[in-house]
């Protein structure tokens, strides 16, 4: 007896749940050779707005957690990703037409990125912060804090690693994320969402939209409750228009990346705000 | 204070002499190391305290702006980027010393042109200008330690547009880090306060700064627009959120690096366990310093409900002793409103405050017959939805709201699209630290207000802009890491 496979329905990931697009829209995801693989959800404006609401609701909990705690939560993502390696290799070979070795290497890179960024959670403030020697009787300190809700356009290439390389650094400081996954390689994004959902990352901290980046990105850049926009993967879009939209509420904008996204602590600090506090000292 | 009353608070006039000034009747533009005639229309800068003309200046045209940018580009490609960091630093040290030497002259010119009390320009603005240049001078040969990795590089030509509230200080905040990082500059002072920037140009000549490294073009908004849209690599702006938005739109897609320091509506939170004597001084300093023409002014007083009556009574008493009048008088606490336009805006928003149901109280002071003046004013019974609790008034007008719990204070303080600054008054250190953590603002003063230092990063969250000025962080606005590559 042969076993008839049970294919997975790939849905969105919003607020810790896996809804279909409220629009009912899907688009076909095929193998590199054009064979049908799955119908991915094609997220709508309403889905994008729901994702922003979920991300906003998750800000206080995630940013309020200690760096030590956030670091362990992000490290656990790496642990779970390691355990589901075979599934990701399978998806990447099918969707992106990678060899098993290349897919394996990409999963390695994704796991290592989680580990690397996890370690920053309780350290980045020591690198980006400052004690300031002001000329007066004040204890003066500058510390970085998360910017808030960050909308991210993931790179088109490397469906898994590309996604991890842009969302992990944003999460380190306590931001929450609405990410538009690679349009052509969305399956590993949804599978990664399943990893996140079963890890300790609270619902709403990461929200994943699949569909048309050209359609979704302007809505997110326009949304008043988004604090920053990462256009790393938006090089092919009309990104200057996205910047114009973002200007309405003075969102912080990271411009498109040319080439592979490299890991850096600067990606962490870009999505932070520096708070300077002057504490008065008594004159004794 | 009515003039007829006599009390120990009646002082004889003590005006600072303007004889220290050696002003010209008219000024050109400072381009490529010398003053040149502009091709745009001339306009006058007046003293807001007397409405008398101080000097004629010129609105830089497109041609003038392009000429200034070309001079800055030539200086960047030429001498300035070939100079060692140590030598760049020496020029900045020279400038710091020259500012100190000519401090009194600069202070008098600032108070004359801007309307701010001489005690502020003399004791706050100008000393901080010198401090800013001195601080960043030392950074010029230490940029490897600025946090961008080894060998960070300058961006190129920086376009800098500054406001009228702290004319020379904002110039220093912009020029000092830009030059330390190795950029060249075209700066536009505000149209109502060009005077000290032009005197500063003379200081640059005395410092023998290479021509074109700093260029100063005067003019209004149109000149600023021409400048930010010219062939520059960096734009730095301090001013209103509305103009900041427009600049962010116009630089979109150009790759120009942008930093913005915009408006604010800061909460000044007074808990019932605050040291009230100091808190009253802090409230006054927070909103009446510089006539409230301060982007980080503590314009919303959040006072714990059980001490509201006492705080308001003491505040009114203190406000009654504020001396409004001649900015050049050494005893003046509150000077002139910078322009008729700004006075109109303050009046309009205050009238709206009254119309929306808040109760207005102004300090009883005599308003001079000429010039632009507004008596220090507070509004009580203000709701969070009132325009005077939401809009930046940028004048000596305080809106008073109340709260019962720290949680309520925090949510009211954060209930604004702005996020520049905040104040906290309490003698309980653990509470102060916890509240400071929760406020979404870039600068927080605890048991003090409106303190500035070149080593201390300043800048906003949310719609108060992005980027920091001051400290190591302030250098990042004018540098790219070696990795980012040449443009």
């Amino acid at each position: 007896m042969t076993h008839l496979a049970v294919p997975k329905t790939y849905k969105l990931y919003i607020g810790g749940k896996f809804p279909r697009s409220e629009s009912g829209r899907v688009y076909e995801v095929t193998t590199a050779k054009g064979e049908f693989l799955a119908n991915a959800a094609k997220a709508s404006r309403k889905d994008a707005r729901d994702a922003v609401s979920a991300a906003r609701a998750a800000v206080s909990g995630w940013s309020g957690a200690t760096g030590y705690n956030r670091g362990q939560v992000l490290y656990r993502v790496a642990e779970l990703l390691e355990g589901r390696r075979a599934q990701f290799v399978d998806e990447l070979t099918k969707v992106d037409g990678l060899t098993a070795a290349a897919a394996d290497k990409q999963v390695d890179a994704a796991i290592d990125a989680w580990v690397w960024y996890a370690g920053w959670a309780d350290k980045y403030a020591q690198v980006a912060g400052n004690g300031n020697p002001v000329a007066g009787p004040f204890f003066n300190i500058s510390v970085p804090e998360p910017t808030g809700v960050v909308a991210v356009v993931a790179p088109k290439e490397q469906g898994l690693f590309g996604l991890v390389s842009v969302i992990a650094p944003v999460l380190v400081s306590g931001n929450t994320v609405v990410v538009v996954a690679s349009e052509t390689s969305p399956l590993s994004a949804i599978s990664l969402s399943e990893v996140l959902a079963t890890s300790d990352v609270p619902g709403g901290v990461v929200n994943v939209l699949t569909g048309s980046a050209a359609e979704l990105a302007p809505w997110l850049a326009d949304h008043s409750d988004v604090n920053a926009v990462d256009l790393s993967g938006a090089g092919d879009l009309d990104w200057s228009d996205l910047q114009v939209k973002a200007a309405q509420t003075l969102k912080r904008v990271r411009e498109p990346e040319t080439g592979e996204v490299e890991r850096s602590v600067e990606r962490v600090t870009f999505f932070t705000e520096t708070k300077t506090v002057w504490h008065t000292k008594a004159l004794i | 204070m009515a003039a007829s009353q006599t009390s120990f608070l009646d002082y004889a006039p003590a005006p600072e002499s303007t004889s220290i000034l050696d002003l010209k009747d008219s000024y050109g533009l400072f381009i490529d190391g010398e003053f040149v005639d502009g091709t745009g229309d001339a306009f006058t800068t007046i003293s807001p305290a007397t409405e008398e003309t101080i000097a004629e200046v010129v609105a830089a045209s497109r041609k003038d702006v392009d000429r200034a940018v070309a001079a800055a580009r030539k200086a960047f490609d030429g001498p300035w980027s070939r100079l060692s960091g140590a030598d760049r630093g020496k020029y900045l040290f020279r400038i710091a010393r020259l500012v100190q030497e000519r401090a009194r002259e600069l202070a008098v010119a600032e108070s004359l042109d801007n309307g701010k009390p001489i005690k502020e320009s003399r004791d706050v603005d100008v000393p901080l200008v010198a401090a800013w240049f001195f601080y960043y001078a030392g950074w010029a040969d230490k940029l490897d330690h600025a946090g961008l990795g080894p060998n960070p590089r300058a961006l190129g030509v920086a376009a800098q547009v500054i406001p009228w509230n702290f004319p020379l200080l904002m110039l220093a905040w912009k020029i000092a880090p830009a030059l330390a990082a190795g950029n060249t500059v075209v700066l536009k002072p505000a149209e109502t306060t060009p005077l000290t920037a032009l005197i500063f140009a003379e200081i640059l000549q005395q410092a023998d700064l290479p021509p074109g490294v700093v260029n100063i073009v005067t003019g209004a908004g149109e000149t600023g627009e021409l400048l930010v849209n010219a062939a520059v690599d960096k734009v730095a702006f301090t001013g209103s959120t509305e103009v900041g938005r427009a600049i962010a739109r116009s630089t979109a897609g150009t790759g120009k690096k942008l930093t913005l320091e915009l408006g604010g509506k800061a909460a000044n939170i007074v808990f019932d366990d605050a040291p009230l004597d100091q808190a009253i001084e802090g409230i006054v300093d927070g909103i009446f310093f510089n006539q409230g023409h301060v982007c980080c002014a503590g314009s919303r007083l959040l006072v714990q409900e059980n001490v509201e009556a006492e705080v308001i009574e003491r505040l009114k008493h203190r406000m009654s002793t504020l001396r409004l009048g001649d900015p050049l008088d050494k005893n003046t606490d509150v000077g002139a409103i910078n322009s008729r336009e700004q006075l109109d805006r303050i009046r309009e928003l205050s009238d709206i405050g009254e119309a929306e149901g808040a109760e207005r109280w102004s300090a009883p002071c005599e308003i001079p017959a000429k010039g632009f003046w507004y008596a220090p004013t507070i509004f009580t019974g203000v709701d969070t939805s009132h325009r005077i609790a939401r809009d930046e008034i940028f004048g000596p007008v305080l809106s008073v709201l109340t709260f019962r719990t720290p949680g309520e204070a925090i949510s009211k303080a954060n209930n604004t699209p702005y996020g520049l600054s905040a104040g906290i008054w309490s003698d309980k250190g653990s509470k102060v630290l916890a509240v400071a953590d929760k406020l979404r603002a870039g600068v927080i003063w605890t048991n003090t207000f409106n303190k500035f230092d070149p080593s201390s990063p300043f800048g906003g969250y949310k719609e108060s802009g992005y980027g920091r000025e001051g400290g190591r962080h302030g250098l990042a606005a004018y540098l790219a890491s070696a990795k980012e590559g040449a443009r």
Side-chain angles (χ1 to χ4, degrees), chain B residues 265 287 298-302 377-380 382 387-390 393 397-401:
Chain B
K265 191 74 188 175
I287 187 62
S299 54
R300 286 184 297 154
L301 175 64
L302 300 185
T377 295
I378 60 171
F379 278 95
T380 48
V382 178
R387 286 275 302 275
I388 53 170
R390 310 205 64 78
I393 299 173
V397 180
L398 179 68
S399 299
V400 184
L401 297 94

Side-chain angles (χ1 to χ4, degrees), chain A residues 127-130 132-135 140 142 145-147 240 243 247-250 252 273-280, chain B residues 245 249 252-253 262 433 436-437 439-440 442-447 451 453 455-457 460-462 465 468 472-473:
Chain A
V127 173
N130 245 94
N132 308 311
V134 297
N140 191 269
S142 292
E145 293 187 342
T147 295
S240 65
Q243 269 196 315
Q248 181 57 30
T249 51
L250 293 156
R252 289 77 176 115
E273 309 291 324
T274 298
K275 176 187 279 179
T276 298
V277 188
W278 294 67
H279 290 285
T280 306
Chain B
R245 266 192 249 284
R249 279 191 207 106
L262 308 175
L433 290 168
D437 267 357
L439 295 176
R440 300 289 290 164
V443 186
I444 293 169
W445 289 289
T446 70
N447 296 321
K451 291 286 184 295
D453 190 279
S455 72
S456 181
Y461 283 35
K462 302 193 281 186
R468 289 293 176 270
R472 177 170 71 79
H473 294 73

Side-chain angles (χ1 to χ4, degrees), chain B residues 190-408:
Chain B
E191 71 266 33
T192 60
T193 55
L195 196 60
T196 45
L198 294 163
I199 298 175
F200 181 78
E202 297 172 5
I203 286 177
L204 297 178
Q205 289 179 322
Q206 291 182 333
D208 204 21
L209 187 74
V213 172
V214 172
N215 305 275
I216 292 169
V217 292
T218 45
E222 301 90 85
T223 301
E225 211 177 317
L226 290 168
L227 179 55
V228 303
N229 291 314
V232 298
D233 306 293
K234 156 80 192 181
V235 174
F237 171 74
T238 296
S240 74
T241 290
E242 213 34 63
V243 175
R245 266 192 249 284
I247 292 174
R249 279 191 207 106
S250 72
T251 57
T254 63
K256 288 175 189 170
K257 197 158 172 174
L258 177 65
T259 44
L260 299 169
E261 203 272 87
L262 308 175
K265 191 74 188 175
N268 201 358
I269 304 169
V270 177
F271 286 98
D272 59 5
D273 54 5
L276 280 191
D277 285 337
Q278 287 99 314
I280 297 298
E281 289 308 306
I283 294 164
V284 167
D285 189 45
I287 187 62
F288 303 124
F289 174 64
N290 203 30
Q291 296 73 247
H293 301 328
V294 185
C295 46
C296 52
S299 54
R300 286 184 297 154
L301 175 64
L302 300 185
V303 58
Q304 199 152 15
E305 201 176 84
N306 54 324
V307 290
E308 187 203 7
E310 185 184 356
V311 167
I312 297 300
E313 191 199 321
R314 290 169 73 161
L315 180 60
K316 286 179 177 174
H317 181 256
R318 177 66 180 91
M319 286 169 65
S320 302
T321 66
L322 291 174
R323 302 177 55 82
L324 177 145
D326 182 7
L328 290 172
D329 192 305
K330 292 167 208 168
N331 294 317
T332 292
D333 298 308
V334 179
I337 300 301
N338 180 252
S339 66
R340 186 179 298 283
E341 191 188 351
Q342 187 57 28
L343 179 60
D344 289 345
R345 177 173 167 77
I346 296 165
R347 283 182 174 151
E348 185 196 340
L349 277 164
S350 300
D351 290 347
I352 289 170
E354 217 161 19
E356 285 185 332
E359 193 182 324
R360 174 185 194 153
W361 183 88
S362 294
C365 51
E366 209 176 321
I367 301 292
K370 271 196 161 177
F372 317 129
W373 307 92
Y374 200 86
T377 295
I378 60 171
F379 278 95
T380 48
V382 178
D383 285 346
T384 47
S385 59
H386 285 168
R387 286 275 302 275
I388 53 170
R390 310 205 64 78
D391 292 8
E392 186 177 40
I393 299 173
F394 222 65
V397 180
L398 179 68
S399 299
V400 184
L401 297 94
T402 60
F403 67 91
R404 290 184 180 175
T405 63
E408 189 187 352

Side-chain angles (χ1 to χ4, degrees), chain B residues 10 19 109 111 130 157 161 164 174 211 247 250 273 297 320 337-338 353 367 376 407 435 442 474 478 486:
Chain B
D10 288 335
S19 65
S111 282
V157 176
V161 178
W164 46 259
K174 295 280 181 286
I247 292 174
S250 72
D273 54 5
S320 302
I337 300 301
N338 180 252
I367 301 292
V435 173
Y478 292 96

